[in-house]
Amino acid sequence: SALVSSLHLFDSSPDSASIVRRWISETQEALKSPNRMVQFHAMQLLYQIKSHDRLGVSKIVSQYSQKKALRSPLALVCLVRYTSKLLHDEVVSGRTSGVGIQNGSQICRTGFQFLESSLQHKSHMVAFEASRAICFLPGVEPQDLTAAINTLSRFLTSPKPTTRFATMKTLAAVAVNNPRAVSKCNEEFEKLMNDNHKSISTLAITTLLKTGSENSVDRILRQISSFLSKIADEYKIT
């Protein structure tokens, strides 16, 4: 409750924020707690305190991206998002060489390595968030997407409709600029064409039309001709 109150206090006014910024030591101590929710809220507060300090945020990433530094999956999801934002800012600021984010600054290399290692996390929410972060990094090279797309492809067979939908939506967005990288999932997409949830089946079809070969597209169109009339306008535009 103290951490949650501190988060609200930080946002209430500049004067309150200056007071909360003095509690860095206590916040870092809370991150050592075995309680996962305590770690989650402590990570949020630490980021709030250091969010306007590029080096401060990079230290958070380098310190807590170490194996077993955080036990809370929610705290790790936050760290993945903070890392993603940090890498975005590095690219926008021109701190990369222009030939791949992994050839940029030390911050870029450390951040990307953390995202890649998170793909293997046993928590599905952490692995999914890391995959999504990699897929939407600015200037990411197609070869750097391989591990993330392989991870996402496993989620396409999830028994949970929300997981399948979130995965399909991510891959559909990636297919706009990198259809060849996503085409390795075409077999899974074809299975999802008959998914019970229309949103999932529609995304699978529209993505296949972007990633399939000429022959496969003709076959798909013949197969779904009766279904096309039922697709919502928002998907027809894609």
Side-chain angles (χ1 to χ4, degrees):
S1 60
L3 288 166
V4 175
S5 298
S6 299
L7 283 165
H8 288 298
L9 184 62
F10 188 93
D11 290 330
S12 62
S13 70
D15 290 338
S16 298
S18 64
I19 294 173
V20 176
R21 285 193 178 96
R22 303 172 191 168
W23 303 343
I24 289 182
S25 297
E26 290 82 357
T27 305
Q28 290 175 324
E29 191 63 31
L31 273 164
K32 299 177 183 177
S33 171
N35 186 292
R36 296 186 175 189
M37 288 307 293
V38 171
Q39 280 195 342
F40 169 53
H41 292 302
M43 174 57 69
Q44 288 180 301
L45 182 58
L46 185 61
Y47 180 76
Q48 283 277 63
I49 292 172
K50 295 191 175 186
S51 59
H52 296 294
D53 177 6
R54 169 178 168 265
L55 291 178
V57 174
S58 68
K59 286 180 181 178
I60 292 176
V61 173
S62 60
Q63 180 178 352
Y64 294 103
S65 62
Q66 301 301 315
K67 191 174 182 181
K68 297 183 179 180
L70 293 173
R71 297 180 179 179
S72 167
L74 286 173
L76 279 167
V77 167
C78 287
L79 188 60
V80 166
R81 291 180 178 179
Y82 303 154
T83 303
S84 176
K85 185 179 185 308
L86 180 65
L87 294 181
H88 272 79
D89 292 344
E90 289 291 293
V91 173
V92 171
S93 301
R95 297 190 181 95
T96 58
S97 63
V99 289
I101 199 166
Q102 294 194 70
N103 297 316
S105 63
Q106 179 61 43
I107 291 176
C108 287
R109 293 193 295 273
T110 301
F112 192 83
Q113 288 169 6
F114 166 62
L115 293 180
E116 282 201 315
S117 66
S118 297
L119 297 175
Q120 307 302 322
H121 198 276
K122 61 182 179 180
S123 169
H124 287 178
M125 75 172 81
V126 176
F128 175 80
E129 195 66 35
S131 300
R132 193 173 183 279
I134 290 174
C135 287
F136 294 129
L137 284 175
V140 66
E141 296 294 318
Q143 62 268 23
D144 295 332
L145 294 172
T146 302
I149 290 176
N150 287 341
T151 299
L152 287 171
S153 68
R154 296 199 297 269
F155 294 140
L156 291 173
T157 57
S158 170
K160 297 179 180 178
T162 51
T163 300
R164 297 199 304 275
F165 175 74
T167 304
M168 265 311 325
K169 193 171 183 181
T170 299
L171 289 171
V174 177
V176 174
N177 295 317
N178 290 286
R180 182 172 295 181
V182 179
S183 63
K184 64 180 66 178
C185 302
N186 283 356
E187 185 175 340
E188 287 81 2
F189 295 157
E190 291 198 33
K191 294 176 182 177
L192 289 175
M193 285 169 53
N194 299 314
D195 195 277
N196 292 330
H197 295 79
K198 186 177 291 186
S199 297
I200 297 173
S201 59
T202 302
L203 280 170
I205 291 168
T206 55
T207 305
L208 271 170
L209 295 177
K210 297 171 187 171
T211 61
S213 63
E214 185 177 348
N215 292 335
S216 64
V217 168
D218 288 340
R219 175 172 52 82
I220 292 166
L221 287 175
R222 288 195 298 271
Q223 184 177 345
I224 63 167
S225 57
S226 61
F227 181 83
L228 287 175
S229 60
K230 302 176 184 178
I231 295 180
D233 290 341
E234 60 184 289
Y235 293 110
K236 289 180 181 178
I237 294 173
T238 61

